[in-house]
Amino acid sequence: MHHLILGAGPAGVIAAETIRKHARGDSITLVGDEREPPYSRMAIPYLLVGDIGEPGTYLRKQPEHFSRLRIDRVDAQARHVDIAARTVTLDDGQTLTFDRLLIATGSHPVRPPIPGLDLPGVETCWTLADARAIAERARPGARVLQMGAGFIGCIIMEALQKRGVQLSVVEMGDRMVPRMMGPVAGGMIRDWCERQGVQVFTGHKVERIDRAQGEGSGDALREGSGDALRVHLSGGRVLDADLVISATGVRPAIGFLAGSGVTCLQGVLTDERMQTNVPGIYAAGDCAEAFDPFTRKTVVSAIQPNAAEQARVAA
């Protein structure tokens, strides 16, 4: 039997290892869309601080780990799933067949419709490639503006503050971490951030980002900052930055399933065994919308511990 796993994050890796434990003779293929060893995104802030190097983010430290378990790895991205033919088409032109399929493609950053979001110096903080680009610009004293002060945004913000940058944070909500914290707790987080020297703008949004052209009516641009950015906020405030980080949330990476027949709501809809509406096709991790026995509803629970347990159940 061939087990095909789409996604080489924690859910995909743990599922592959669990299948190998219980099905020693089956074939397993793990498809990841980055040219990196499988790694944990949650380790990226520790990389930015300098607590670990890139190998410290890797989910498995031994280079021969996957070959030793006879788990084949493919670096590509899924483009289409054919449930009748039991095939997956990849962006490199390959077509892989499967007997059992696990969708563990995780999430991708939300791209807000902001003019200038494609300018050099505007980054997300989601991949190792993003981390390298951020580390290049987020040097001590650099002016960094972060869009978003949610849970993930605050983790990124802490890492940036420890790098010694001049940090500003813009959050559309009326408080920091608005989806998880009430007004009192959100206010406490803001107070703590401001005591660390972070400039916080709640109830604001970024309306556009421009290249800063020399010295203007705002604060003088520093010498040598020819690729500096000028960020326009709602209410008319303008901030200059050497780096803008978009941390405005994520959503399940499931666009390739459109028209496949696999039912998707916010995420890939599964039952309590992580199986989709199509027999033999499962989902786990940030892309899965799984049954919650406490609320009796289906939810996307995008945290790594849940991804690990869902992967074991699906496997």
Short mmCIF file of all heavy atoms in Angstrom, two decimals, residues 108-175:
data_model
loop_
_atom_site.label_atom_id
_atom_site.label_comp_id
_atom_site.label_asym_id
_atom_site.label_seq_id
_atom_site.Cartn_x
_atom_site.Cartn_y
_atom_site.Cartn_z
N HIS A 108 -0.99 29.19 5.26
CA HIS A 108 -0.12 30.19 4.63
C HIS A 108 -0.56 31.57 5.11
O HIS A 108 -1.72 31.77 5.52
CB HIS A 108 -0.16 30.09 3.10
CG HIS A 108 -1.52 30.19 2.50
ND1 HIS A 108 -2.24 31.36 2.49
CD2 HIS A 108 -2.30 29.27 1.88
CE1 HIS A 108 -3.41 31.16 1.88
NE2 HIS A 108 -3.47 29.90 1.52
N PRO A 109 0.34 32.55 5.09
CA PRO A 109 0.00 33.88 5.59
C PRO A 109 -1.11 34.54 4.78
O PRO A 109 -1.17 34.40 3.55
CB PRO A 109 1.31 34.66 5.46
CG PRO A 109 2.38 33.62 5.41
CD PRO A 109 1.76 32.45 4.70
N VAL A 110 -1.97 35.25 5.48
CA VAL A 110 -2.99 36.07 4.82
C VAL A 110 -2.30 37.28 4.20
O VAL A 110 -1.41 37.89 4.81
CB VAL A 110 -4.04 36.52 5.85
CG1 VAL A 110 -5.00 37.54 5.23
CG2 VAL A 110 -4.81 35.32 6.39
N ARG A 111 -2.70 37.61 2.98
CA ARG A 111 -2.17 38.79 2.31
C ARG A 111 -3.24 39.88 2.28
O ARG A 111 -4.16 39.83 1.45
CB ARG A 111 -1.73 38.47 0.88
CG ARG A 111 -0.38 37.81 0.77
CD ARG A 111 0.02 37.65 -0.70
NE ARG A 111 0.06 38.94 -1.39
CZ ARG A 111 1.11 39.76 -1.38
NH1 ARG A 111 2.19 39.45 -0.69
NH2 ARG A 111 1.08 40.89 -2.05
N PRO A 112 -3.17 40.85 3.18
CA PRO A 112 -4.18 41.91 3.16
C PRO A 112 -4.03 42.75 1.89
O PRO A 112 -2.93 42.89 1.36
CB PRO A 112 -3.85 42.73 4.41
CG PRO A 112 -2.42 42.43 4.71
CD PRO A 112 -2.17 41.04 4.25
N PRO A 113 -5.14 43.31 1.40
CA PRO A 113 -5.08 44.09 0.15
C PRO A 113 -4.53 45.49 0.39
O PRO A 113 -5.25 46.49 0.33
CB PRO A 113 -6.55 44.12 -0.29
CG PRO A 113 -7.32 44.06 1.00
CD PRO A 113 -6.51 43.18 1.92
N ILE A 114 -3.24 45.57 0.63
CA ILE A 114 -2.58 46.84 0.94
C ILE A 114 -1.64 47.21 -0.20
O ILE A 114 -0.73 46.43 -0.51
CB ILE A 114 -1.79 46.74 2.26
CG1 ILE A 114 -2.74 46.44 3.43
CG2 ILE A 114 -1.01 48.02 2.52
CD1 ILE A 114 -2.02 46.16 4.73
N PRO A 115 -1.81 48.35 -0.85
CA PRO A 115 -0.86 48.77 -1.87
C PRO A 115 0.55 48.87 -1.30
O PRO A 115 0.76 49.40 -0.21
CB PRO A 115 -1.38 50.15 -2.29
CG PRO A 115 -2.84 50.14 -1.93
CD PRO A 115 -2.93 49.30 -0.68
N GLY A 116 1.51 48.32 -2.04
CA GLY A 116 2.90 48.37 -1.61
C GLY A 116 3.36 47.14 -0.86
O GLY A 116 4.53 47.05 -0.46
N LEU A 117 2.49 46.16 -0.72
CA LEU A 117 2.86 44.97 0.06
C LEU A 117 3.94 44.15 -0.64
O LEU A 117 4.61 43.33 0.00
CB LEU A 117 1.61 44.10 0.30
CG LEU A 117 1.65 43.20 1.53
CD1 LEU A 117 1.72 44.01 2.81
CD2 LEU A 117 0.43 42.28 1.55
N ASP A 118 4.13 44.37 -1.95
CA ASP A 118 5.14 43.62 -2.70
C ASP A 118 6.49 44.34 -2.77
O ASP A 118 7.42 43.84 -3.42
CB ASP A 118 4.64 43.34 -4.12
CG ASP A 118 3.46 42.39 -4.15
OD1 ASP A 118 3.44 41.46 -3.32
OD2 ASP A 118 2.56 42.59 -4.98
N LEU A 119 6.62 45.47 -2.12
CA LEU A 119 7.87 46.21 -2.18
C LEU A 119 8.99 45.46 -1.45
O LEU A 119 8.74 44.75 -0.47
CB LEU A 119 7.70 47.58 -1.54
CG LEU A 119 6.90 48.62 -2.32
CD1 LEU A 119 6.67 49.86 -1.46
CD2 LEU A 119 7.64 49.02 -3.61
N PRO A 120 10.24 45.60 -1.92
CA PRO A 120 11.36 45.03 -1.16
C PRO A 120 11.39 45.60 0.25
O PRO A 120 11.16 46.80 0.46
CB PRO A 120 12.59 45.49 -1.97
CG PRO A 120 12.07 45.76 -3.34
CD PRO A 120 10.67 46.27 -3.16
N GLY A 121 11.63 44.74 1.21
CA GLY A 121 11.62 45.18 2.60
C GLY A 121 10.33 44.91 3.31
O GLY A 121 10.23 45.17 4.52
N VAL A 122 9.33 44.38 2.60
CA VAL A 122 8.08 43.95 3.23
C VAL A 122 8.09 42.43 3.25
O VAL A 122 8.16 41.79 2.20
CB VAL A 122 6.84 44.48 2.48
CG1 VAL A 122 5.57 44.04 3.21
CG2 VAL A 122 6.89 46.00 2.37
N GLU A 123 8.03 41.84 4.42
CA GLU A 123 8.19 40.40 4.57
C GLU A 123 7.06 39.82 5.43
O GLU A 123 6.48 40.52 6.26
CB GLU A 123 9.53 40.06 5.24
CG GLU A 123 10.75 40.64 4.58
CD GLU A 123 11.10 39.98 3.26
OE1 GLU A 123 10.54 38.90 2.96
OE2 GLU A 123 11.95 40.54 2.54
N THR A 124 6.79 38.53 5.23
CA THR A 124 6.05 37.76 6.22
C THR A 124 7.09 37.09 7.12
O THR A 124 8.29 37.19 6.87
CB THR A 124 5.16 36.70 5.56
OG1 THR A 124 5.97 35.85 4.73
CG2 THR A 124 4.07 37.34 4.71
N CYS A 125 6.64 36.41 8.16
CA CYS A 125 7.58 35.68 9.02
C CYS A 125 7.03 34.27 9.17
O CYS A 125 6.49 33.90 10.22
CB CYS A 125 7.74 36.37 10.37
SG CYS A 125 9.02 35.62 11.40
N TRP A 126 7.18 33.47 8.09
CA TRP A 126 6.53 32.17 8.04
C TRP A 126 7.48 31.05 7.65
O TRP A 126 7.29 29.91 8.04
CB TRP A 126 5.35 32.24 7.07
CG TRP A 126 4.38 31.11 7.21
CD1 TRP A 126 4.07 30.18 6.25
CD2 TRP A 126 3.58 30.79 8.34
NE1 TRP A 126 3.14 29.29 6.73
CE2 TRP A 126 2.81 29.65 8.02
CE3 TRP A 126 3.44 31.35 9.61
CZ2 TRP A 126 1.92 29.06 8.91
CZ3 TRP A 126 2.55 30.78 10.50
CH2 TRP A 126 1.81 29.65 10.15
N THR A 127 8.49 31.38 6.86
CA THR A 127 9.41 30.37 6.36
C THR A 127 10.84 30.70 6.78
O THR A 127 11.14 31.81 7.23
CB THR A 127 9.35 30.28 4.83
OG1 THR A 127 9.88 31.50 4.28
CG2 THR A 127 7.92 30.08 4.33
N LEU A 128 11.73 29.72 6.60
CA LEU A 128 13.14 29.99 6.85
C LEU A 128 13.67 31.06 5.91
O LEU A 128 14.52 31.88 6.30
CB LEU A 128 13.96 28.70 6.71
CG LEU A 128 13.86 27.71 7.87
CD1 LEU A 128 14.69 26.47 7.57
CD2 LEU A 128 14.30 28.34 9.18
N ALA A 129 13.18 31.07 4.67
CA ALA A 129 13.59 32.13 3.74
C ALA A 129 13.16 33.50 4.25
O ALA A 129 13.91 34.48 4.15
CB ALA A 129 13.00 31.86 2.36
N ASP A 130 11.95 33.59 4.82
CA ASP A 130 11.50 34.85 5.42
C ASP A 130 12.44 35.25 6.56
O ASP A 130 12.81 36.42 6.70
CB ASP A 130 10.09 34.70 5.99
CG ASP A 130 9.03 34.48 4.93
OD1 ASP A 130 9.27 34.85 3.76
OD2 ASP A 130 7.97 33.95 5.28
N ALA A 131 12.80 34.28 7.39
CA ALA A 131 13.66 34.57 8.54
C ALA A 131 15.01 35.12 8.10
O ALA A 131 15.55 36.05 8.72
CB ALA A 131 13.85 33.31 9.38
N ARG A 132 15.55 34.57 7.02
CA ARG A 132 16.83 35.07 6.51
C ARG A 132 16.70 36.53 6.05
O ARG A 132 17.58 37.36 6.32
CB ARG A 132 17.32 34.20 5.36
CG ARG A 132 17.62 32.76 5.76
CD ARG A 132 18.06 31.93 4.57
NE ARG A 132 18.03 30.52 4.89
CZ ARG A 132 17.29 29.62 4.24
NH1 ARG A 132 16.52 30.00 3.21
NH2 ARG A 132 17.32 28.35 4.60
N ALA A 133 15.61 36.83 5.36
CA ALA A 133 15.40 38.20 4.87
C ALA A 133 15.20 39.16 6.04
O ALA A 133 15.71 40.30 6.01
CB ALA A 133 14.19 38.24 3.94
N ILE A 134 14.48 38.74 7.06
CA ILE A 134 14.25 39.60 8.23
C ILE A 134 15.56 39.83 8.97
O ILE A 134 15.87 40.97 9.36
CB ILE A 134 13.20 38.95 9.15
CG1 ILE A 134 11.82 39.03 8.49
CG2 ILE A 134 13.17 39.65 10.51
CD1 ILE A 134 10.76 38.22 9.19
N ALA A 135 16.34 38.78 9.17
CA ALA A 135 17.61 38.92 9.89
C ALA A 135 18.55 39.89 9.18
O ALA A 135 19.33 40.60 9.83
CB ALA A 135 18.27 37.55 10.04
N GLU A 136 18.48 39.95 7.86
CA GLU A 136 19.35 40.84 7.10
C GLU A 136 19.02 42.30 7.40
O GLU A 136 19.92 43.16 7.44
CB GLU A 136 19.19 40.56 5.61
CG GLU A 136 20.01 41.45 4.69
CD GLU A 136 21.52 41.26 4.87
OE1 GLU A 136 21.94 40.17 5.29
OE2 GLU A 136 22.27 42.23 4.58
N ARG A 137 17.76 42.62 7.61
CA ARG A 137 17.35 44.01 7.80
C ARG A 137 17.14 44.38 9.27
O ARG A 137 17.28 45.56 9.62
CB ARG A 137 16.04 44.27 7.04
CG ARG A 137 16.22 44.37 5.52
CD ARG A 137 14.89 44.60 4.83
NE ARG A 137 15.06 44.79 3.39
CZ ARG A 137 15.00 45.95 2.76
NH1 ARG A 137 14.79 47.05 3.45
NH2 ARG A 137 15.16 46.04 1.46
N ALA A 138 16.75 43.42 10.09
CA ALA A 138 16.41 43.71 11.49
C ALA A 138 17.66 43.73 12.34
O ALA A 138 17.84 42.92 13.26
CB ALA A 138 15.40 42.70 12.01
N ARG A 139 18.53 44.68 12.06
CA ARG A 139 19.77 44.84 12.82
C ARG A 139 19.56 45.85 13.93
O ARG A 139 18.60 46.64 13.89
CB ARG A 139 20.89 45.26 11.88
CG ARG A 139 21.18 44.21 10.80
CD ARG A 139 22.23 44.65 9.82
NE ARG A 139 22.51 43.60 8.84
CZ ARG A 139 23.34 43.73 7.82
NH1 ARG A 139 23.97 44.88 7.64
NH2 ARG A 139 23.54 42.74 6.98
N PRO A 140 20.41 45.86 14.93
CA PRO A 140 20.23 46.81 16.03
C PRO A 140 20.05 48.23 15.53
O PRO A 140 20.83 48.72 14.70
CB PRO A 140 21.52 46.65 16.85
CG PRO A 140 21.93 45.23 16.60
CD PRO A 140 21.57 44.96 15.16
N GLY A 141 19.00 48.88 16.01
CA GLY A 141 18.71 50.25 15.62
C GLY A 141 17.83 50.40 14.40
O GLY A 141 17.34 51.50 14.13
N ALA A 142 17.61 49.33 13.66
CA ALA A 142 16.75 49.42 12.47
C ALA A 142 15.31 49.72 12.88
O ALA A 142 14.85 49.30 13.93
CB ALA A 142 16.81 48.11 11.69
N ARG A 143 14.63 50.45 12.02
CA ARG A 143 13.22 50.78 12.27
C ARG A 143 12.36 49.68 11.65
O ARG A 143 12.36 49.49 10.44
CB ARG A 143 12.89 52.13 11.65
CG ARG A 143 13.73 53.29 12.19
CD ARG A 143 13.69 54.48 11.28
NE ARG A 143 14.20 54.14 9.95
CZ ARG A 143 14.25 54.99 8.93
NH1 ARG A 143 13.81 56.23 9.08
NH2 ARG A 143 14.73 54.61 7.76
N VAL A 144 11.64 48.99 12.49
CA VAL A 144 10.82 47.86 12.05
C VAL A 144 9.37 48.13 12.43
O VAL A 144 9.08 48.47 13.59
CB VAL A 144 11.29 46.54 12.69
CG1 VAL A 144 10.42 45.38 12.23
CG2 VAL A 144 12.76 46.27 12.35
N LEU A 145 8.49 47.97 11.47
CA LEU A 145 7.05 48.08 11.73
C LEU A 145 6.41 46.72 11.47
O LEU A 145 6.61 46.14 10.41
CB LEU A 145 6.41 49.14 10.83
CG LEU A 145 4.93 49.40 11.09
CD1 LEU A 145 4.60 50.88 10.96
CD2 LEU A 145 4.04 48.58 10.15
N GLN A 146 5.68 46.25 12.45
CA GLN A 146 4.98 44.97 12.31
C GLN A 146 3.48 45.22 12.25
O GLN A 146 2.92 45.92 13.09
CB GLN A 146 5.30 44.06 13.49
CG GLN A 146 4.56 42.72 13.43
CD GLN A 146 4.96 41.81 14.56
OE1 GLN A 146 6.13 41.46 14.69
NE2 GLN A 146 4.00 41.41 15.37
N MET A 147 2.85 44.63 11.23
CA MET A 147 1.40 44.68 11.11
C MET A 147 0.81 43.43 11.77
O MET A 147 1.06 42.31 11.32
CB MET A 147 0.98 44.72 9.64
CG MET A 147 1.48 45.92 8.87
SD MET A 147 0.77 45.97 7.20
CE MET A 147 1.52 44.53 6.46
N GLY A 148 0.05 43.62 12.83
CA GLY A 148 -0.60 42.50 13.49
C GLY A 148 0.00 42.23 14.85
O GLY A 148 1.22 42.11 15.01
N ALA A 149 -0.88 42.16 15.86
CA ALA A 149 -0.46 41.86 17.23
C ALA A 149 -1.30 40.73 17.79
O ALA A 149 -1.76 40.78 18.92
CB ALA A 149 -0.56 43.11 18.11
N GLY A 150 -1.49 39.69 16.97
CA GLY A 150 -2.17 38.50 17.44
C GLY A 150 -1.18 37.60 18.16
O GLY A 150 -0.07 37.99 18.51
N PHE A 151 -1.58 36.34 18.36
CA PHE A 151 -0.74 35.40 19.11
C PHE A 151 0.61 35.20 18.43
O PHE A 151 1.66 35.37 19.04
CB PHE A 151 -1.49 34.08 19.24
CG PHE A 151 -0.69 32.99 19.89
CD1 PHE A 151 -0.27 33.10 21.20
CD2 PHE A 151 -0.35 31.85 19.18
CE1 PHE A 151 0.47 32.10 21.80
CE2 PHE A 151 0.40 30.84 19.77
CZ PHE A 151 0.81 30.96 21.08
N ILE A 152 0.57 34.85 17.12
CA ILE A 152 1.83 34.65 16.40
C ILE A 152 2.60 35.96 16.30
O ILE A 152 3.82 36.00 16.45
CB ILE A 152 1.55 34.06 15.01
CG1 ILE A 152 0.96 32.64 15.15
CG2 ILE A 152 2.81 34.03 14.16
CD1 ILE A 152 0.53 32.01 13.85
N GLY A 153 1.87 37.05 16.06
CA GLY A 153 2.53 38.35 15.94
C GLY A 153 3.30 38.73 17.20
O GLY A 153 4.40 39.30 17.12
N CYS A 154 2.76 38.41 18.37
CA CYS A 154 3.45 38.76 19.62
C CYS A 154 4.71 37.93 19.81
O CYS A 154 5.69 38.41 20.37
CB CYS A 154 2.49 38.59 20.80
SG CYS A 154 1.32 39.96 20.97
N ILE A 155 4.69 36.69 19.35
CA ILE A 155 5.91 35.87 19.43
C ILE A 155 7.00 36.46 18.54
O ILE A 155 8.16 36.57 18.94
CB ILE A 155 5.59 34.42 19.03
CG1 ILE A 155 4.62 33.79 20.03
CG2 ILE A 155 6.87 33.59 18.94
CD1 ILE A 155 4.10 32.43 19.61
N ILE A 156 6.61 36.87 17.33
CA ILE A 156 7.57 37.51 16.42
C ILE A 156 8.07 38.82 17.02
O ILE A 156 9.27 39.12 16.98
CB ILE A 156 6.92 37.75 15.05
CG1 ILE A 156 6.48 36.43 14.42
CG2 ILE A 156 7.87 38.52 14.13
CD1 ILE A 156 5.58 36.60 13.21
N MET A 157 7.15 39.58 17.59
CA MET A 157 7.48 40.88 18.16
C MET A 157 8.53 40.74 19.26
O MET A 157 9.48 41.53 19.34
CB MET A 157 6.22 41.53 18.71
CG MET A 157 6.42 42.87 19.35
SD MET A 157 4.87 43.46 20.08
CE MET A 157 4.62 42.21 21.34
N GLU A 158 8.39 39.73 20.11
CA GLU A 158 9.36 39.53 21.19
C GLU A 158 10.75 39.26 20.62
O GLU A 158 11.75 39.79 21.12
CB GLU A 158 8.92 38.38 22.08
CG GLU A 158 9.85 38.15 23.26
CD GLU A 158 9.42 37.00 24.13
OE1 GLU A 158 8.60 36.18 23.68
OE2 GLU A 158 9.91 36.91 25.27
N ALA A 159 10.81 38.45 19.57
CA ALA A 159 12.10 38.15 18.95
C ALA A 159 12.72 39.42 18.36
O ALA A 159 13.93 39.65 18.49
CB ALA A 159 11.94 37.08 17.88
N LEU A 160 11.91 40.25 17.73
CA LEU A 160 12.43 41.49 17.14
C LEU A 160 12.94 42.43 18.22
O LEU A 160 13.99 43.06 18.07
CB LEU A 160 11.33 42.17 16.33
CG LEU A 160 10.88 41.44 15.05
CD1 LEU A 160 9.62 42.07 14.51
CD2 LEU A 160 11.99 41.46 14.01
N GLN A 161 12.20 42.53 19.32
CA GLN A 161 12.61 43.43 20.40
C GLN A 161 13.96 43.01 20.96
O GLN A 161 14.81 43.84 21.27
CB GLN A 161 11.53 43.45 21.48
CG GLN A 161 11.69 44.53 22.53
CD GLN A 161 12.57 44.10 23.69
OE1 GLN A 161 12.72 42.92 23.95
NE2 GLN A 161 13.16 45.08 24.37
N LYS A 162 14.19 41.71 21.04
CA LYS A 162 15.46 41.21 21.57
C LYS A 162 16.61 41.46 20.60
O LYS A 162 17.77 41.42 21.01
CB LYS A 162 15.34 39.72 21.89
CG LYS A 162 14.47 39.43 23.11
CD LYS A 162 14.42 37.94 23.42
CE LYS A 162 13.62 37.67 24.67
NZ LYS A 162 13.53 36.21 24.98
N ARG A 163 16.29 41.72 19.33
CA ARG A 163 17.36 42.03 18.36
C ARG A 163 17.79 43.49 18.45
O ARG A 163 18.72 43.91 17.76
CB ARG A 163 16.87 41.73 16.94
CG ARG A 163 16.73 40.25 16.64
CD ARG A 163 16.30 40.02 15.19
NE ARG A 163 17.33 40.40 14.25
CZ ARG A 163 18.29 39.59 13.79
NH1 ARG A 163 18.33 38.33 14.21
NH2 ARG A 163 19.18 40.01 12.93
N GLY A 164 17.11 44.29 19.27
CA GLY A 164 17.53 45.67 19.46
C GLY A 164 17.04 46.64 18.41
O GLY A 164 17.65 47.68 18.20
N VAL A 165 15.93 46.33 17.75
CA VAL A 165 15.40 47.23 16.73
C VAL A 165 14.49 48.28 17.37
O VAL A 165 14.09 48.16 18.53
CB VAL A 165 14.61 46.44 15.66
CG1 VAL A 165 15.46 45.36 15.04
CG2 VAL A 165 13.32 45.84 16.24
N GLN A 166 14.19 49.32 16.60
CA GLN A 166 13.17 50.30 16.99
C GLN A 166 11.84 49.77 16.44
O GLN A 166 11.58 49.86 15.25
CB GLN A 166 13.48 51.67 16.42
CG GLN A 166 14.81 52.26 16.86
CD GLN A 166 15.10 53.59 16.18
OE1 GLN A 166 14.19 54.39 15.95
NE2 GLN A 166 16.35 53.82 15.84
N LEU A 167 11.01 49.23 17.31
CA LEU A 167 9.86 48.47 16.87
C LEU A 167 8.55 49.22 17.07
O LEU A 167 8.29 49.76 18.15
CB LEU A 167 9.80 47.14 17.63
CG LEU A 167 8.65 46.18 17.29
CD1 LEU A 167 8.69 45.78 15.82
CD2 LEU A 167 8.72 44.94 18.19
N SER A 168 7.74 49.23 16.02
CA SER A 168 6.37 49.73 16.08
C SER A 168 5.44 48.60 15.67
O SER A 168 5.75 47.84 14.74
CB SER A 168 6.16 50.93 15.15
OG SER A 168 7.03 51.99 15.48
N VAL A 169 4.29 48.51 16.34
CA VAL A 169 3.32 47.46 16.05
C VAL A 169 1.97 48.10 15.77
O VAL A 169 1.51 48.96 16.55
CB VAL A 169 3.20 46.46 17.23
CG1 VAL A 169 2.13 45.42 16.94
CG2 VAL A 169 4.53 45.78 17.50
N VAL A 170 1.35 47.70 14.67
CA VAL A 170 0.05 48.24 14.28
C VAL A 170 -0.97 47.10 14.31
O VAL A 170 -0.79 46.07 13.64
CB VAL A 170 0.10 48.86 12.87
CG1 VAL A 170 -1.26 49.41 12.47
CG2 VAL A 170 1.16 49.96 12.81
N GLU A 171 -2.03 47.27 15.08
CA GLU A 171 -3.08 46.24 15.23
C GLU A 171 -4.44 46.87 14.96
O GLU A 171 -4.79 47.90 15.54
CB GLU A 171 -3.03 45.66 16.65
CG GLU A 171 -4.22 44.81 17.05
CD GLU A 171 -4.49 43.65 16.12
OE1 GLU A 171 -3.54 42.89 15.82
OE2 GLU A 171 -5.64 43.50 15.67
N MET A 172 -5.21 46.24 14.06
CA MET A 172 -6.53 46.76 13.72
C MET A 172 -7.50 46.69 14.89
O MET A 172 -8.39 47.51 15.03
CB MET A 172 -7.10 45.99 12.53
CG MET A 172 -6.42 46.26 11.21
SD MET A 172 -7.12 45.28 9.85
CE MET A 172 -8.83 45.85 9.89
N GLY A 173 -7.36 45.65 15.72
CA GLY A 173 -8.27 45.50 16.85
C GLY A 173 -8.06 46.57 17.89
O GLY A 173 -7.09 47.33 17.88
N ASP A 174 -8.98 46.62 18.86
CA ASP A 174 -8.91 47.65 19.88
C ASP A 174 -7.94 47.30 21.01
O ASP A 174 -7.80 48.05 21.97
CB ASP A 174 -10.30 47.92 20.46
CG ASP A 174 -10.90 46.69 21.14
OD1 ASP A 174 -10.30 45.60 21.08
OD2 ASP A 174 -11.99 46.82 21.74
N ARG A 175 -7.27 46.14 20.90
CA ARG A 175 -6.32 45.71 21.92
C ARG A 175 -5.36 44.70 21.29
O ARG A 175 -5.60 44.20 20.19
CB ARG A 175 -7.03 45.06 23.11
CG ARG A 175 -7.88 43.86 22.72
CD ARG A 175 -8.74 43.40 23.88
NE ARG A 175 -9.54 42.24 23.55
CZ ARG A 175 -10.74 42.29 22.96
NH1 ARG A 175 -11.25 43.47 22.63
NH2 ARG A 175 -11.41 41.19 22.71
#
